[in-house]
Amino acid sequence: MREITIHIDNESSFLILHDCASELLINPRLKTTLKRLGYKIELDNILIPFNEKSKIATLIEIQHLLFKFGFGKNLTEDTVNDIRSFEREERLFEVFSNKARAIRNNQFESNPELIKDFQKFKDITQNSLKRKLYPLQLLSAFHMAFSQNACNFAVPGAGKTSIVYAAYSFLKQLPKTDPRHVNRLIIIGPLSSFAPWENEYASCFGENPNSLRLSGDDSISREKKEEHLYSGSPAELTLIFHGGVKSLQKEIVDFLKTHNTMLVVDEAHRIKNPEGVWGKSAIEIAKEAKSRIILTGTPVPNGYEDLYNLFQFVYPFKFKSILGFHYSNLIDMSKNNVENSPRVQQLIENISPFFIRIKKKDLKLPPKEEITIQIEMNRYQREIYDFIECEYINSFTQNPNGSIKDILNRAKLIRLRQASTNPSLLAKPLKDALLNNPELDEVDPNSKFTEYTDEFIDDSEIFRRICNYENLEIPQKFIEVKKILDETILPKNEKVIIWTIFITNAKDLQAFLLKNNIIAPLLIGETVQQEREILISKFNDPSNNDFQVVIANPFAVSESISLHKGCHNAIYLERDYNCSNFLQSKDRIHRVGLSENQLTKYYYIVCSNSIDQVIDERLHFKIERMEAIIDEEIPLFSRINDDDETDIIKALILDYAKRTQ
């Protein structure tokens, strides 16, 4: 068997096959494979390029290729040494994985070395951080610093930002000669996360950060962005919107090659799609980062395949061996959707060294109180609601599963919710009443229905009442909101956030409250970023009493925003059937950082004999199921189809039958 001499030339980054080009390249299939590897010819030698991270993989592929086509191999001494180094690193990675798993599972008793390392970590972070971390945060930060490349899947409100800053502070204080040392942070996240990252830096370190936002600020030109990324002394904290990475991909890569950087993707479920532009660009830049961190409380919103991109970001060159399953396998596991199946348990075991999840029950949050207020509709609202409900129940009864006109059924349910809260909304197209914000289209379950115009009115008198409703009476829910404010919130000098699904409703309620001398700014999709940040800052400041009431839309305030510092009350004008958004809205004011005895109150205003009651009842069942899933290691949220309102339609039909017998 003819032996081909193979040499790894580390200086030129070429793998060299000596004196064989004329012999090997006459085979078309062999030539095609070598062409894919980007070979070139010098004399009779074949040179195949590699980078440091692909070196051994390329060598292994060449050896297999030669064997397949009947050739032997003769490795030079330097090449044999390189292979031994690689194998040694692989063994060390196994040891590292076991230690990371031990940290994650808080198993320090049998490992004195880990105890010593943890104590060193605590000493350094306690000296550098002004904020005191609770035990699980400290453990998570130690795991992150030890791993350098890790996922944190803690639930919303667990303090993931503080965990990152603790890990960063430790790695930053390591000697510059230490290969783990970092001194720069790039945060990729939604625009709404920028101010929290800057504010939390100040809270953690006692000083404002040297930061620069490369997205969300029209005053930053392309030239200024490039100037920052190629600067010899750039800002310590760089903030970039998920969708802004692609246009600066080369510049960010060059930045990461030059600076010792921790690269963080916040709300990382937004890069879950392997074919998506956001995901591809994030993974490309990740390869050059010194430390890579994934943050999301919903790691698998659609299925286990969502983990593929997250771990490809964290370990670009080892993620396949870490996961232990192909992408198609993960899709199949999601479709089968069997809880605690052997394959799912194996997947969790495979990735367990590389992620930490703080669950809701781990937070031990202070008490909360939920108050449901049943109210009766006023005369004209009741007439309008009853007319529309009767019309729709007939169509629902004919098609209860919504299998033929699914979008039309969704639109009708939205219309019923509008009638139960403020019939004036019925005079406007759905697209005017619901949020339409490009950044949030992915998380707004109503966005795909907003172009539907519902021609449901065939009664001229009902039509006139809808168009003239604002002159006929004040919606009873508005009156109830004012009553809660006057009797419960404002006299105690407390603050409250009022949640409403419909944008027009937010504006109508704001106008009603203003007429009654109550200032209530809006936090909705069209609130510009700078105004939004000023508003949140004032509202979150307990000493600031410029206003005590904010009216918000859950889609516009769904991620990365904390309101718990100044507000402990929430009023729900109406709710849809999306459990995830509802729970996220509750988490805005009930999260880590509250004092031990701080009571958080939620008020749910429900119109009797309406869709409100059906949604209220069905949400309770959905929430119980969702909260059980949230406390799993890797929660598969697709077990609850938040986008399916079939059971609401069925429950509404039954409820209507009982009420009208």
Side-chain angles (χ1 to χ4, degrees):
M1 177 185 291
R2 162 87 156 93
E3 287 191 345
I4 307 296
T5 298
I6 304 175
H7 169 62
I8 293 178
D9 188 337
N10 289 304
E11 187 173 339
S12 66
S13 296
F14 278 109
L15 190 152
I16 303 173
L17 282 64
H18 289 274
D19 303 321
C20 61
S22 56
E23 187 175 0
L24 297 185
L25 296 179
I26 60 174
N27 186 314
R29 292 171 61 193
L30 187 52
K31 184 177 181 179
T32 299
T33 303
L34 291 172
K35 187 175 182 180
R36 177 176 58 79
L37 294 173
Y39 81 92
K40 69 177 187 176
I41 300 174
E42 283 188 2
L43 300 176
D44 198 32
N45 301 326
I46 297 176
L47 281 65
I48 300 170
F50 65 82
N51 59 47
E52 189 59 32
K53 293 170 181 175
S54 68
K55 176 169 60 176
I56 300 301
T58 303
L59 174 62
I60 291 171
E61 184 171 359
I62 290 298
Q63 290 183 89
H64 287 169
L65 194 64
L66 292 175
F67 178 79
K68 179 179 179 181
F69 289 97
F71 294 94
K73 90 282 187 182
N74 176 35
L75 304 180
T76 65
E77 185 177 351
D78 289 345
T79 303
V80 171
N81 290 335
D82 270 357
I83 293 173
R84 286 173 179 163
S85 296
F86 172 77
E87 291 173 344
R88 183 171 62 253
E89 286 183 15
E90 288 290 289
R91 289 193 298 271
L92 289 174
F93 185 78
E94 184 66 27
V95 173
F96 159 81
S97 300
N98 290 333
K99 283 187 177 181
R101 182 183 281 107
I103 295 170
R104 176 192 181 280
N105 296 331
N106 201 4
Q107 297 170 335
F108 289 84
E109 297 84 356
S110 59
N111 197 323
E113 184 182 348
L114 270 187
I115 295 174
K116 182 180 177 182
D117 289 343
F118 189 35
Q119 187 58 53
K120 178 183 176 183
F121 175 83
K122 287 192 291 185
D123 291 342
I124 290 177
T125 54
Q126 285 170 0
N127 286 332
S128 61
L129 292 182
K130 303 297 181 184
R131 170 173 287 167
K132 184 179 179 181
L133 303 187
Y134 63 85
L136 268 178
Q137 279 183 317
L138 200 59
L139 181 70
S140 298
F142 178 51
H143 176 270
M144 189 177 288
F146 174 82
S147 302
Q148 287 187 271
N149 308 306
C151 298
N152 190 296
F153 297 151
V155 296
K160 291 190 282 290
T161 308
S162 296
I163 291 170
V164 170
Y165 280 138
Y168 172 73
S169 70
F170 175 81
L171 295 174
K172 183 181 178 182
Q173 293 189 59
L174 294 173
K176 291 183 179 180
T177 54
D178 192 308
R180 297 172 296 165
H181 171 78
V182 297
N183 56 14
R184 294 290 185 276
L185 266 166
I186 289 183
I187 309 296
I188 300 170
L191 297 178
S192 59
S193 72
F194 291 0
W197 275 102
E198 292 168 336
N199 295 336
E200 288 300 296
Y201 184 102
S203 297
C204 286
F205 297 110
E207 60 184 21
N208 291 326
N210 176 13
S211 65
L212 187 69
R213 303 180 182 188
L214 299 190
S215 303
D217 186 347
D218 294 336
S219 67
I220 303 291
S221 65
R222 172 82 191 192
E223 290 74 20
K224 287 184 178 179
K225 292 176 183 178
E226 291 183 4
E227 181 182 338
H228 166 71
L229 291 171
Y230 285 111
S231 169
S233 55
E236 180 181 10
L237 179 62
T238 302
L239 300 146
I240 309 173
F241 171 53
H242 295 105
V245 175
K246 176 64 177 175
S247 63
L248 292 168
Q249 186 171 307
K250 179 185 181 302
E251 291 80 3
I252 296 171
V253 167
D254 290 342
F255 180 96
L256 294 171
K257 288 178 178 178
T258 306
H259 301 283
N260 296 323
T261 306
M262 174 181 279
L263 179 64
V264 180
V265 179
D266 196 4
E267 305 296 353
H269 47 276
R270 293 195 180 194
I271 67 160
K272 63 184 181 298
N273 182 3
E275 299 304 318
V277 173
W278 293 7
K280 285 182 176 179
S281 55
I283 285 165
E284 280 306 308
I285 66 170
K287 295 172 183 176
E288 301 298 338
K290 182 66 71 75
S291 170
R292 297 177 288 269
I293 304 298
I294 283 288
L295 302 179
T296 175
T298 55
V300 289
N302 302 314
Y304 296 113
E305 63 272 19
D306 293 342
L307 292 169
Y308 192 85
N309 247 26
L310 303 189
F311 278 90
Q312 188 173 2
F313 174 89
V314 172
Y315 283 102
F317 303 101
K318 296 187 73 68
F319 74 100
K320 290 183 179 179
S321 59
I322 287 172
L323 287 169
F325 292 93
H326 294 296
Y327 188 74
S328 58
N329 298 143
L330 299 174
I331 293 175
D332 184 57
M333 289 157 64
S334 301
K335 286 180 179 177
N336 290 334
N337 202 4
V338 179
E339 296 181 58
N340 300 317
S341 73
R343 289 206 299 173
V344 170
Q345 293 307 306
Q346 184 60 56
L347 172 65
I348 294 173
E349 176 65 21
N350 292 348
I351 66 175
S352 65
F354 313 105
F355 82 92
I356 274 190
R357 179 168 177 80
I358 300 176
K359 303 171 185 176
K360 193 78 173 179
K361 64 184 179 184
D362 297 324
L363 300 181
K364 297 181 173 57
L365 296 175
K368 61 182 178 180
E369 182 180 355
E370 304 190 59
I371 303 158
T372 300
I373 301 171
Q374 294 275 354
I375 63 170
E376 297 294 332
M377 296 181 190
N378 288 330
R379 172 190 165 190
Y380 294 111
Q381 181 179 12
R382 174 51 68 187
E383 289 178 2
I384 292 168
Y385 180 87
D386 286 350
F387 174 86
I388 295 171
E389 186 181 48
C390 180
E391 292 283 307
Y392 286 172
I393 288 295
N394 289 333
S395 66
F396 289 154
T397 303
Q398 295 170 16
N399 183 29
N401 294 320
S403 56
I404 299 174
K405 297 182 179 180
D406 193 47
I407 292 179
L408 300 187
N409 276 354
R410 170 65 67 86
K412 289 173 182 176
L413 290 176
I414 292 172
R415 287 303 196 187
L416 278 175
R417 285 171 22 227
Q418 290 179 326
S420 71
T421 189
N422 178 11
S424 293
L425 304 178
L426 298 169
K428 300 177 175 65
L430 290 183
K431 64 181 178 181
D432 294 337
L434 291 164
L435 179 69
N436 190 10
N437 184 335
E439 185 190 341
L440 298 174
D441 278 348
E442 184 180 350
V443 295
D444 179 0
N446 293 316
S447 60
K448 53 179 163 294
F449 303 100
T450 57
E451 295 303 318
Y452 173 68
T453 301
D454 186 11
E455 302 296 339
F456 59 86
I457 300 301
D458 57 4
D459 183 290
S460 59
E461 181 58 31
I462 291 293
F463 181 77
R464 279 195 297 272
R465 287 182 182 172
I466 289 173
C467 293
N468 197 40
Y469 181 78
E470 61 184 358
N471 299 317
L472 295 175
E473 64 188 18
I474 298 170
Q476 189 58 37
K477 285 192 177 184
F478 288 16
I479 296 171
E480 189 63 34
V481 165
K482 183 177 179 300
K483 180 181 176 183
I484 296 171
L485 296 178
D486 288 341
E487 296 180 1
T488 309
I489 309 293
L490 301 183
K492 298 178 183 177
N493 203 31
E494 294 181 354
K495 296 183 180 181
V496 62
I497 183 166
I498 302 172
W499 295 103
T500 176
I501 303 296
F502 304 110
I503 301 307
T504 309
N505 226 15
K507 295 175 180 178
D508 288 354
L509 177 61
Q510 181 190 43
F512 167 75
L513 293 178
L514 189 59
K515 285 181 182 178
N516 289 277
N517 300 312
I518 299 173
I519 300 171
L522 301 181
L523 264 178
I524 58 178
E526 57 195 63
T527 308
V528 298
Q529 188 65 25
Q530 185 177 9
E531 180 186 345
R532 178 189 301 242
E533 291 179 10
I534 293 171
L535 194 159
I536 290 172
S537 178
K538 287 183 175 181
F539 191 62
N540 237 347
D541 183 355
S543 64
N544 189 301
N545 289 314
D546 288 1
F547 51 89
Q548 293 173 253
V549 183
V550 161
I551 303 172
N553 178 281
F555 310 128
V557 194
S558 62
E559 295 177 332
S560 305
I561 294 175
S562 301
L563 301 171
H564 65 293
K565 294 177 182 177
C567 176
H568 311 299
N569 303 283
I571 298 172
Y572 288 80
L573 201 62
E574 77 275 319
R575 290 170 289 170
D576 64 7
Y577 194 46
N578 187 286
C579 187
S580 298
N581 286 325
F582 174 54
L583 292 177
Q584 279 193 348
S585 70
K586 292 177 70 177
D587 289 338
R588 297 308 106 202
I589 63 171
H590 195 238
R591 56 204 294 121
V592 167
L594 291 169
S595 60
E596 186 177 347
N597 297 314
Q598 177 61 59
L599 177 64
T600 300
K601 288 187 176 182
Y602 302 99
Y603 300 86
Y604 309 125
I605 303 178
V606 175
C607 275
S608 299
N609 300 316
S610 76
I611 191 173
D612 277 3
Q613 282 186 311
V614 175
I615 288 176
D616 183 63
E617 180 183 338
R618 296 304 306 170
L619 261 180
H620 282 299
F621 291 109
K622 205 172 186 181
I623 289 167
E624 287 179 9
R625 180 69 178 126
M626 179 72 83
E627 289 180 339
I629 291 173
I630 286 173
D631 277 336
E632 294 176 5
E633 284 293 280
I634 299 293
L636 182 59
F637 290 105
S638 60
R639 292 196 192 114
I640 293 181
N641 189 346
D642 242 359
D643 207 28
D644 183 6
E645 294 181 328
T646 302
D647 56 340
I648 283 289
I649 292 175
K650 292 179 178 178
L652 187 65
I653 292 171
L654 291 174
D655 183 70
Y656 182 80
K658 291 177 183 177
R659 286 190 273 117
T660 56
Q661 277 181 349

